[in-house]
Amino acid sequence: LLPILPDWRGRAFHQDERLRERDVELVGFRREGLPYLNVLSVYTFDEKRTRQYTDYWCDICSIPMYEIKECECCQGPIRLRFRPGKLPSYAVPTK
């Protein structure tokens, strides 16, 4: 088990129950001497096992965000967004 660093990207798992108890692939890194995984991007899977890039989105401002909160621009609501996506070419899966 790796604890997730609760920073700008990792906080989503602490704040949004919809991201818990589901299969995910995380792109991130670890710093020597620290036990945390620093998450850079989140991929979840739909019911057909299609990989989905996962973030939050403001439909008014068209701004992606990475934790659940009001839009940083208009202060309006945001939604959890899923878009089909591949892992970046630099991501090397580990177990």
Side-chain angles (χ1 to χ4, degrees):
L1 293 177
L2 287 173
I4 295 174
L5 182 68
D7 65 352
W8 63 278
R9 192 63 171 109
R11 265 192 298 272
F13 291 97
H14 298 274
Q15 297 171 333
D16 193 342
E17 292 182 7
R18 297 172 292 178
L19 295 177
R20 300 179 197 156
E21 304 296 327
R22 63 186 312 151
D23 290 338
V24 298
E25 286 183 332
L26 304 175
V27 175
F29 62 91
R30 294 181 66 197
R31 299 264 187 226
E32 188 174 327
L34 295 176
Y36 301 103
L37 175 66
N38 189 276
V39 177
L40 299 175
S41 56
V42 175
Y43 297 84
T44 57
F45 293 89
D46 65 14
E47 61 280 345
K48 295 179 182 177
R49 301 292 304 158
T50 303
R51 182 183 290 111
Q52 305 282 321
Y53 179 76
T54 305
D55 61 7
Y56 296 94
W57 182 255
C58 176
D59 289 315
I60 296 168
C61 302
S62 299
I63 297 174
M65 285 173 272
Y66 304 102
E67 61 180 309
I68 191 166
K69 60 182 179 178
E70 292 179 341
C71 175
E72 293 174 351
C73 180
C74 71
Q75 303 305 305
I78 62 172
R79 65 181 170 88
L80 184 59
R81 177 173 73 160
F82 304 97
R83 294 179 294 147
K86 297 179 180 179
L87 289 175
S89 61
Y90 60 82
V92 179
T94 61
K95 296 195 181 226

